[in-house]
């Protein structure tokens, strides 16, 4: 049986330990190990994805124990999509950090490997406690990444994030304890079968605790206050990874727990979808308005992420398979757009020595290539027609229109207007002539090699975001299959229980 | 997936596409000769913006489905924004660019919503007319068209942003912006209220134009009134109305661009735009004066000039009725304001100490070409393919065109100079309101979010908010589950 | 009866931990509050594992009823994760003390604002 | 915030907490023990399948050993996070020591103190205890030395690089033990199935790789705790 599902987790772990061991060895060896490491993981993911697309969902019993006894790893369409995000994200992050010299920060690559291992662990987990452990690992690593710069503001933001994360993990642990007490097992498929044993009151509290605990990770509105400061504190490279990959891990965990484990596709889900729809609309409004009045580039991009989390919630909340597929597709696109924005924004911030937007006059003149990348991905994230952002927003709008929900549609349209307003603000400043070059502090001049590496990464990201609308139809059919499998977990359970003790 | 598809338009829209391309090239030549950036870094950015603007106009016309039409709109919006920002050094440029992009994107957003609803009703993206005009799709698309063609209450962006751009790029801006809106109305809308909206636009456009004392503001208001004419044509049901509307658009592109070029040449030479300080240029710039007269005659609808032919078609399509009379009053007003323009810029005697040279050669060549076009379409209208058979030069039709112009010149003789050239108050500055609003809004929210909510209270309050959210939703779910 | 009482105890310890996190002004005390919250979860897990007359899940011939071993394993993992997070939290507090010279939240926020 | 403001905030917090308690109460209290559970299988067949008397260790290290791998990585992440946050300042060699009485007492009984953690680790699969518990006590013993005799005495004995080496290599060892299952073909981290010696329940060397894992985890946790302690001792940069 192929050991791919577990290798996807174990290989980054091995390289995390190896590269920290290599800390004591000459830097050439360390660079070699890190290089091999970040090539091997995407290779495993590609093999896993191709195997899954050919042979259908994969099942792996860790430790050789059958379903309810040991821990199960299961790879289906949904986990394949998010694994692709992870593999691409971390591969580009390594390339980008090598080329822009952030690689010199010690242990950055150890944390990148740990992040890869923990998020791929979440993506293939078939067991809720295993999902919880890897979520916690992601949290600890993210806290460290936020406080990596050890300046005044990042450290406080890391502390605030840590308190938020502690509360979120406590809520999730309470939910897991209640689920175990009611159903007697920790494997997702078994819980889904025996969920009816739970008294309705505790089922409601478990559902809410899961939504709120993962809402904190994704950025549901009343719980999002930590995000802007955490992204501002972390370097742009890390912020790109946070909003592109780590937030998507939260979305995946939410989808998996709500649909597969708690059976949200079932009868009493009208209330949940109504709540998600309302939460999504609030997110869109708060995110865009927050970004409009934000004068710090990274915080503005953070609020824009909150708004796009709103689009995903609205997609899920529409309650139809098409809406769910559109939401997953939007999550997939959002990675490419937001990471490109953060990573091209980094050069403006480095060039102007501050991320204060009014100081960014004339960046189009001093960083033309980066500005074009920033401009294209901003176009895409706002949702201008030929781009990927528009494609997913269009599909979400269609799903809403199907259910006749006009209000979220207006929120989406208004969101487009406001989001373009605050991106246009930067274009206006960027195109003008930079007056105050005289005050002496010249931005960090980046070497040609640095810019070339980063530009290559950004070009690939922008290429996707511009060409996504023209991909063949069966590229999108994977998303539809994922949505279908989420809403009908029956088939998912047969696979898991196939080898089970019955 | 959603794949934009394109197809060559047939009939008169083909002519419109050809004119779009030719005018794009000519106004590019004009722009290169007028602004001094040449191929510096800023010049490159501006050139790409100009080219993308032309590309946007062409995509909109070539569009075979709503998505590519939306692509055209967005390209126009974005490139127009960059043209206005990139072309001008003076301060107000960016503020008006903001306003321009805001209105354009609100138009695109409402078009997007309209298309979504239209698509879900008809399950196809083809550019078909929205059948029951009263559905929300029709309302959204009508609002988008009204915004794009700067219908009267929503016209602030055009009047503020066109004059704010550098005079060299104004002709190019005037070609594409509003005509794409008229084309969208032609393909998507068949709303009975459209002609009356057009008539209202034409009337109020002319009345406000008379009050203006800046040359390019006057021309911008006239764009609004001429587009009102086009909407009358397009709004009238039936082939004749749409043909008349599109033909008027074709003519209008030519003579309006010529007018902007003439004024551009004047600004290029004297650096002055205000009618009250201009004058006496007839002697120094004879050729520009000649082209200015030809263009004014065309826009006013004098027989043997292009304006007359398309207005005649419009009058025949609308038939006797309130639209006919509004059109005659508006052509009287247009005639009056253009007599004022020609008099104030060229004829009024003003002693000048330094000699003012004629406009540079490339500008004159382009203007000559356009003037020739308007005269030819005026004299030989039947030469143009796809136009219905129509006897333009019958006695009563020429009379109905000349009478309002005669009335206009009489009005000018009696009280023109005194009334129209006094300085007026600058009128309502919408963009000022916008930036004040944004400033106040930022202060309000800044104090709300940054000062009170964040620094005084620590993150513990936010954790409290998170817990209350959790408890509240839990109670809600427990009760309703 | 003992099960319900231990649940109530777990909930009250959770609320005490939360109260400490929400009202305390000192960073270290907030870390202490967090670890109290985590220990309340361990209490809940052990309470869930309880069986009437069950003994510790170490096998020996003469005992027949055992307590449920799985929540104990989960409890151990929860304790270890709580320890990890607390270690990082204390590291952050030391770093904050170096930057701001104080551990009192109000002073830190005022100097940040 | 004014004194009254603080008091008002306290009341608000109390109110919110009571609501949370009520919500949790309505969720947890009506819970009853569900019928068939996985733990019945563990209790009935646990000893025969894994030959480990301590069922919690069986669950932790055999049935659900992947969680334990995740958990060990969390400790690893916490240690490297603290070392990154605290890096910069030098580790001062101070002579701060406790009173003479404490130093003499510990000097005599120190070897005996080591018996307890070693027993707890080695008998992890037989009696309550295991890698984590033994590791923590071992860590405390090492920290006790530097508290009693000052870091000038303890650092040369056990330097930071040595600690990091033990931690990273024990983490790698844990994974290599798991990979043995993959090489054998019966799945990552599989115990008896991968050919580890099962032995009869109750012997010291039995239950497959459980004792081996306990030792690995023990050293990893101990090294982790002590290096966190030293990191926190670093002076500011």
């Amino acid at each position: 049986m192929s050991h791919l599902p577990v290798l996807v987790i174990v290989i980054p772990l091995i390289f995390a330990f190896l590269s920290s061991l290599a800390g004591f060895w000459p830097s050439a060896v360390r660079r070699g190990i890190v290089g091999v490491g970040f090539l091997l993981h995407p290779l495993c993911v590609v093999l896993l994805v191709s195997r899954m697309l050919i042979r259908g969902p994969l099942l792996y019993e860790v430790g050789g124990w059958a379903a309810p006894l040991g821990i199960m790893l299961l790879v289906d369409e949904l986990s394949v999509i998010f694994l692709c995000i992870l593999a691409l994200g971390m591969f580009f992050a390594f390339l980008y950090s090598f080329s822009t010299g952030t690689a010199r920060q010690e242990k950055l690559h150890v944390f990148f490997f740990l992040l890869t291992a923990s998020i791929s662990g979440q993506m293939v987990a078939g067991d809720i406690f295993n999902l919880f452990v890897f979520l916690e690992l992601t949290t600890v690593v993210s806290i460290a990444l936020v406080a990596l710069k050890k300046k005044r503001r990042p450290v406080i933001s890391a502390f605030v994030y840590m308190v938020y994360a502690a509360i979120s993990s406590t809520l999730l642990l309470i939910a897991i304890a209640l689920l175990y007490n009611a159903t007697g097992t920790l494997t997702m498929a078994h819980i889904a079968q025996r969920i009816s044993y739970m008294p309705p009151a505790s089922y409601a509290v478990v559902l809410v605790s899961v939504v709120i605990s993962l809402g904190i990770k994704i950025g549901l509105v009343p719980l999002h206050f930590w995000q802007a400061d955490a992204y501002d504190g972390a370097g742009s490279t890390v912020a790109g990874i946070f909003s592109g990959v780590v937030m998507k891990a939260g979305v995946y965990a939410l989808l998996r727990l709500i649909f597969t484990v708690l059976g949200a596709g079932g009868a009493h889900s009208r209330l949940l979808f109504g709540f998600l729809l309302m939460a999504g609309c609030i997110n869109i409004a708060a995110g865009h308005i927050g970004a409009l009045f934000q004068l710090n580039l990274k915080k503005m991009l953070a609020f824009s992420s909150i708004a796009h989390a709103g689009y995903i919630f609205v997609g899920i909340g529409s309650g139809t398979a098409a809406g769910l597929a559109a939401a997953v597709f939007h999550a997939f696109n959002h990675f490419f757009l937001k990471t490109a924005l953060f990573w091209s924004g980094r050069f403006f911030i480095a060039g102007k020595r501050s991320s204060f937007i009014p100081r960014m006059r004339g960046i189009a003149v001093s960083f033309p290539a980066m500005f074009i990348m920033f401009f294209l991905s901003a176009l895409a994230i706002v949702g201008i027609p030929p781009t990927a952002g528009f494609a997913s927003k269009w599909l979400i709008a269609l799903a809403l229109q199907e259910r006749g929900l006009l209000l979220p549609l207006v929120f989406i349209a208004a969101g487009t207007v406001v989001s373009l307003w605050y991106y246009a603000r930067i274009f206006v400043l960027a195109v003008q002539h930079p007056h105050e070059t005289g005050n002496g502090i010249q931005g960090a001049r980046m070497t040609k090699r640095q810019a070339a590496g980063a530009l290559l990464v950004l070009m690939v990201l922008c290429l996707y975001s511009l060409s996504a609308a023209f991909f063949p139809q069966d590229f999108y059919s994977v998303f539809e299959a994922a949505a279908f499998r989420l809403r009908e977990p029956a088939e998912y359970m047969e696979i898991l229980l196939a080898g089970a003790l019955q | 997936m959603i794949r934009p598809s394109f197809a060559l338009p047939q009939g008169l829209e083909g002519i419109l596409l050809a004119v779009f391309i030719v005018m794009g090239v000519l106004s590019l030549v004009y722009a290169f000769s007028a602004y001094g950036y040449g191929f510096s870094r800023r010049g490159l950015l501006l050139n790409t913006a100009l080219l993308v603007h032309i590309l946007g106009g062409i995509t909109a016309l070539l569009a075979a489905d709503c998505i590519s039409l939306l692509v055209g709109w967005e390209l126009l919006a974005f490139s127009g924004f960059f043209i206005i920002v990139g072309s001008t050094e003076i301060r107000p440029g960016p503020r008006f660019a903001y306003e321009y992009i805001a209105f354009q994107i609100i138009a695109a957003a409402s078009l997007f919503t309209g298309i979504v609803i239209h698509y879900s009703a008809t399950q196809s993206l083809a550019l078909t007319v929205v059948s029951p005009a009263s559905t929300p799709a029709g309302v959204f698309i009508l609002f988008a068209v009204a915004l794009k063609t700067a219908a009267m209450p929503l016209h602030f962006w055009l009047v503020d942003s066109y004059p704010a751009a550098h005079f060299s790029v104004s002709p190019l801006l005037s070609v594409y912006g509003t005509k794409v809106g008229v084309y969208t109305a032609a393909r998507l809308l068949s709303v009975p209220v459209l002609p009356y909206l057009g008539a209202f636009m034409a009337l109020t456009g002319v009345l406000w134009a008379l009050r203006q004392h800046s040359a390019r503001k006057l021309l911008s208001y006239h764009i609004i009134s001429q587009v009102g004419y086009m909407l009358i044509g397009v709004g009238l049901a039936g082939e004749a109305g749409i043909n008349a509307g599109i033909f008027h658009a074709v003519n209008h592109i030519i003579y309006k661009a010529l007018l902007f070029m003439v004024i551009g040449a004047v600004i290029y030479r004297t650096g002055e735009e205000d009618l009250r300080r201009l004058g006496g240029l007839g002697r120094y710039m004879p050729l520009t004066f000649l082209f200015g007269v030809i263009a004014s005659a065309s826009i006013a609808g004098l027989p043997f000039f292009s304006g007359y032919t398309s207005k005649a078609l419009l009058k025949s399509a609308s038939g006797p009725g309130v639209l006919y009379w509004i059109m005659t009053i508006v052509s009287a007003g247009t005639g009056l304001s253009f007599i004022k323009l020609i008099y104030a810029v060229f004829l009024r005697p003003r002693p000048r100490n330094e000699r003012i040279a004629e406009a540079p050669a490339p500008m004159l060549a382009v203007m000559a070409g356009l003037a020739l076009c308007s005269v030819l379409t005026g004299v030989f209208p039947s030469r143009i393919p796809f136009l219905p058979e129509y006897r333009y030069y019958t006695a009563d039709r020429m009379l109905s065109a000349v009478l309002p112009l005669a009335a206009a010149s009489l009005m000018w003789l009696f009280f023109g100079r005194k009334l129209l050239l006094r300085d007026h108050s600058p009128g309502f500055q919408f963009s000022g309101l916008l930036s004040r609003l944004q400033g106040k809004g930022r202060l309000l929210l800044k104090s709300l979010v940054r000062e009170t909510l964040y620094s005084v209270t620590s993150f513990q309050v936010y954790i409290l908010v998170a817990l209350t959210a959790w408890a509240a939703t839990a109670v809600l779910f427990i009760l309703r589950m | 009866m003992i099960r319900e009482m231990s649940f109530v105890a777990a909930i009250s310890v959770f609320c005490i931990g939360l109260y400490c996190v929400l009202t305390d002004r000192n960073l270290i005390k907030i870390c202490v509050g967090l670890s109290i919250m985590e220990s309340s979860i361990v209490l809940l897990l052990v309470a869930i594992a309880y069986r009437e007359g069950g003994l510790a899940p170490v096998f020996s011939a003469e005992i027949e009823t055992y307590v449920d071993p799985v929540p104990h394993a989960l409890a151990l993992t929860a304790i270890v994760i709580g320890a990890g997070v607390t270690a990082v939290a204390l590291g952050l507090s030391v770093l904050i003390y170096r930057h701001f010279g104080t551990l009192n939240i109000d002073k830190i926020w005022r100097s940040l604002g | 915030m004014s004194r009254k403001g603080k008091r008002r905030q306290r009341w608000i917090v109390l109110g919110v907490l009571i609501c949370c308690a009520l919500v949790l109460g309505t969720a947890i209290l009506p819970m009853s023990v569900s019928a068939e559970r996985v733990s019945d299988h563990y209790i009935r067949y646990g000893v025969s399948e894994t030959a480990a008397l301590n069922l919690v260790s069986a669950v932790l290290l055999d049935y659900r050993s992947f969680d334990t791998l995740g958990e060990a990585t969390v400790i690893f992440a916490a240690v490297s996070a603290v070392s990154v946050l605290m890096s910069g300042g030098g580790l001062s060699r101070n002579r701060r020591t406790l009173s003479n009485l404490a130093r003499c007492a510990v000097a005599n009984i120190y070897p005996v103190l080591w018996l307890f953690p070693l027993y707890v680790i080695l008998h992890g699969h037989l009696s309550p205890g295991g890698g984590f518990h033994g590791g923590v006590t071992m860590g405390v013993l090492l920290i006790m030395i530097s508290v009693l005799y000052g870091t000038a005495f303890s650092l040369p004995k056990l330097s930071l690089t040595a600690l990091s080496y033990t931690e990273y290599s024990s983490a790698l060892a844990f994974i290599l033990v798991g990979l043995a299952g993959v090489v054998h073909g019966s799945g990552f981290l599989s115990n008896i199935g991968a050919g580890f010696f099962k032995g009869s329940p109750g012997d010291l060397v039995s239950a497959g790789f459980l004792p081996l894992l306990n030792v690995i985890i023990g050293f990893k946790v101990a090294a982790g705790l002590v290096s966190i302690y030293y990191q926190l001792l670093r002076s500011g940069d």
Side-chain angles (χ1 to χ4, degrees), chain D residues 23-36:
Chain D
V23 164
L24 280 176
T26 52
I28 295 173
L29 292 182
M31 300 293 282
S32 66
V33 179
S34 86
E36 81 285 347

Side-chain angles (χ1 to χ4, degrees), chain C:
Chain C
M1 183 46 190
I2 300 172
R3 264 176 74 89
E4 278 64 30
M5 290 322 295
S6 46
F7 286 151
V8 167
I11 296 170
S12 41
V13 169
F14 178 77
C15 291
I16 291 166
L18 260 182
Y19 182 81
C20 170
V21 166
L22 289 180
T23 50
D24 231 305
R25 295 287 147 219
N26 187 322
L27 284 180
I28 304 289
K29 289 197 180 122
I30 290 179
C31 297
V32 168
L34 283 180
S35 54
I36 293 175
M37 252 170 38
E38 257 124 35
S39 57
S40 76
I41 296 297
V42 169
L43 188 58
L44 178 70
L45 281 169
V46 171
I48 282 175
Y50 178 71
R51 295 287 171 278
E52 288 306 321
L55 288 175
V58 179
F59 183 80
S60 60
E62 61 280 350
I63 306 171
E64 333 78 46
T65 61
Y66 291 97
V67 167
D68 181 348
V70 174
H72 291 268
L74 305 189
L76 180 71
T77 316
I79 292 171
V80 167
I81 289 175
V85 172
T86 316
V88 174
L90 291 179
L92 282 176
S93 320
V94 169
L95 213 57
I96 292 171
Y97 183 76
R98 277 195 200 140
H99 276 295
F100 292 89
T102 164
L103 280 175
N104 184 323
I105 295 183
D106 296 333
K107 292 203 189 71
I108 293 172
W109 242 261
R110 209 160 298 120
S111 68
L112 251 184

Side-chain angles (χ1 to χ4, degrees), chain B residues 129-153:
Chain B
V129 176
V130 178
S131 48
S134 60
T135 61
V139 169
F140 273 112
I141 294 178
L142 180 64
F143 178 67
V145 162
L147 259 175
K148 189 80 178 178
T149 51
M152 199 24 112

Side-chain angles (χ1 to χ4, degrees), chain A residues 336-410:
Chain A
F336 290 93
L337 316 176
K338 189 46 66 70
T339 328
L341 280 175
F342 266 112
W343 289 353
S344 51
R346 176 202 177 280
F347 286 89
F348 306 152
I349 295 169
K352 292 294 174 185
R353 278 260 175 278
S354 98
S355 53
F356 193 51
I357 293 180
R359 289 268 305 275
M360 293 199 175
R361 186 182 295 278
I363 44 177
V365 179
S366 35
F367 300 98
M370 289 305 159
F371 177 73
I372 291 171
M373 293 299 146
F374 186 87
F375 176 69
L376 288 178
S377 26
L379 277 193
I381 206 162
V382 162
I384 305 297
T387 57
F390 174 79
S392 51
K393 223 176 256 188
W394 168 266
L395 292 169
I396 293 178
L398 282 192
L400 288 171
Q401 175 58 27
E402 230 171 82
R403 287 284 306 280
L405 307 156
L406 262 190
L407 184 62
L409 198 58
V410 172

Side-chain angles (χ1 to χ4, degrees), chain D residues 2 25 45 71 77 94 126 132 151 159 175 183 186 193 204 215:
Chain D
S2 64
Y45 304 105
E71 201 184 302
N94 59 41
L126 304 174
F132 290 102
T151 48
S159 69
I175 290 192
V183 165
S186 69
L204 185 59
V215 168

Side-chain angles (χ1 to χ4, degrees), chain B residues 438-452:
Chain B
Q438 189 174 8
K440 258 205 285 306
R442 167 164 296 132
L443 273 172
L444 172 71
L445 202 98
K446 186 190 259 295
S447 57
L448 191 64
V449 171
R450 202 175 295 282
E451 263 59 37
T452 53

Side-chain angles (χ1 to χ4, degrees), chain A residues 61-90:
Chain A
E61 290 146 359
V62 180
W65 300 103
L69 292 179
I71 291 173
M72 304 291 313
L73 299 182
L74 189 109
V75 181
D76 69 346
E77 283 86 358
L78 192 68
S79 37
V80 151
I81 293 168
F82 282 87
L83 265 177
C84 286
I85 296 181
L86 171 74
L88 285 171
M90 296 321 280

Side-chain angles (χ1 to χ4, degrees), chain A residues 1 3 6 9-10 13-14 17-18 20-21 24-25 60 62-65 68-71 106-107 110-111 114 127 129-130 133-134 137 140 144 147-148 150 174 178 180-182 184-186 194 201-202 205, chain D residues 23-24 26-28 31-32 34 36-39 41-42 49-50 62-64 66-67 69-71 73-74 76-78 80-81 83-85 87 161 164-165 168 171-172 175 179 182 185-190:
Chain A
M1 69 178 181
H3 296 279
V6 93
I9 304 166
V10 164
L13 269 185
I14 294 175
F17 301 141
L18 268 181
S20 40
L21 252 177
F24 307 102
W25 302 337
Y60 187 87
V62 180
W65 300 103
L69 292 179
I71 291 173
E106 22 121 27
K107 289 228 189 289
V110 174
F111 289 136
L114 284 176
D127 183 286
F129 192 73
N130 198 16
V133 168
F134 282 120
L137 183 56
V140 171
L148 209 57
K150 299 205 280 277
I174 292 176
L178 295 184
Y180 175 77
N181 187 16
T185 67
L186 286 168
R194 297 197 184 114
S202 34
V205 170
Chain D
V23 164
L24 280 176
T26 52
I28 295 173
M31 300 293 282
S32 66
S34 86
E36 81 285 347
R37 314 174 66 74
V38 169
S39 50
H41 173 84
Y42 290 144
E49 279 179 352
T50 57
D62 194 337
Y63 288 110
R64 302 182 62 84
F66 201 51
D67 281 350
L69 173 65
E71 201 184 302
T73 331
V74 167
F76 170 83
S80 29
S83 69
V84 162
L85 292 180
S87 68
T161 43
S164 320
Y165 256 101
Y168 304 147
L172 269 178
I175 290 192
L179 285 179
V182 172
S186 69
F188 184 71
L189 278 177
S190 60

